[in-house]
Amino acid sequence: MQIVIDANPVISLLIKPNRVIVELLFLEDLEIFAPELLFDEIEQNKGIIIKKSGMTNEEFNKFLSIIKKRISVVPEAEFLKFRGKSEEICPDEKDITYFALALHLKCPIWSNEKRLRNQNHVNVYATHELIEIFEIK
């Protein structure tokens, strides 16, 4: 399954590493994509993530580099033509880029933000739903 990952599941994982979520993130049946914006959001929240997680700067950078290897970044130029439609349907202005990429790839979004479900064009799966779908225990 192809899926676009939003920043919140990645930030949650960085703050509180969890074996089940790491297993989900590295599942071969899951092809994970993100706009370049994802890692910008993570860098903007780096201080908060380090503080909440108790990681050192070095540990944060190592963990993030492992996560980066798993997520395929798609340049915005490749899906720019979907931005207009995304602006129309996306319930949250800050997630327009994620929706545009999902429309481009014709795939769902992995996000724990409930308000993103307030539309009927792109499926949005929370982490717990993906764990159930892929039967991770």
Side-chain angles (χ1 to χ4, degrees):
M1 166 195 278
Q2 288 187 328
I3 198 159
V4 172
I5 194 166
D6 187 19
N8 67 44
V10 179
I11 291 172
S12 295
L13 180 62
L14 286 164
I15 290 172
K16 190 174 181 188
N18 173 309
R19 179 198 59 82
V20 174
I21 299 171
V22 169
E23 191 175 326
L24 177 62
L25 187 69
F26 287 89
L27 200 65
E28 283 186 25
D29 292 342
L30 206 55
E31 204 176 345
I32 305 171
F33 297 90
E36 295 160 317
L37 170 71
L38 169 72
F39 294 109
D40 294 341
E41 285 188 54
I42 291 169
E43 284 298 325
Q44 289 170 0
N45 290 290
K46 182 177 180 176
I48 295 166
I49 294 167
I50 288 173
K51 185 177 180 182
K52 287 186 175 184
S53 69
M55 280 190 271
T56 65
N57 192 50
E58 185 179 334
E59 289 168 334
F60 170 86
N61 290 334
K62 281 183 182 177
F63 195 12
L64 185 58
S65 71
I66 292 166
I67 291 171
K68 281 182 174 181
K69 290 176 184 168
R70 181 63 181 109
I71 299 171
S72 300
V73 174
V74 180
E76 196 167 346
E78 289 186 28
F79 57 92
L80 197 56
K81 67 181 179 181
F82 291 94
R83 188 162 180 90
K85 177 70 173 173
S86 179
E87 288 172 353
E88 290 173 26
I89 65 168
C90 184
D92 190 336
E93 184 179 293
K94 70 177 184 57
D95 290 302
I96 288 171
T97 306
Y98 295 98
F99 269 74
L101 179 54
L103 289 168
H104 168 66
L105 296 173
K106 298 179 179 81
C107 73
I109 294 174
W110 174 0
S111 177
N112 296 320
E113 293 182 46
K114 291 181 177 134
R115 69 180 167 268
L116 296 186
R117 296 171 184 262
N118 295 338
Q119 47 77 39
N120 54 10
H121 300 275
V122 175
N123 287 328
V124 178
Y125 293 109
T127 301
H128 72 275
E129 293 171 310
L130 290 170
I131 289 168
E132 286 175 23
I133 290 167
F134 291 103
E135 299 175 353
I136 298 173
K137 298 185 188 284

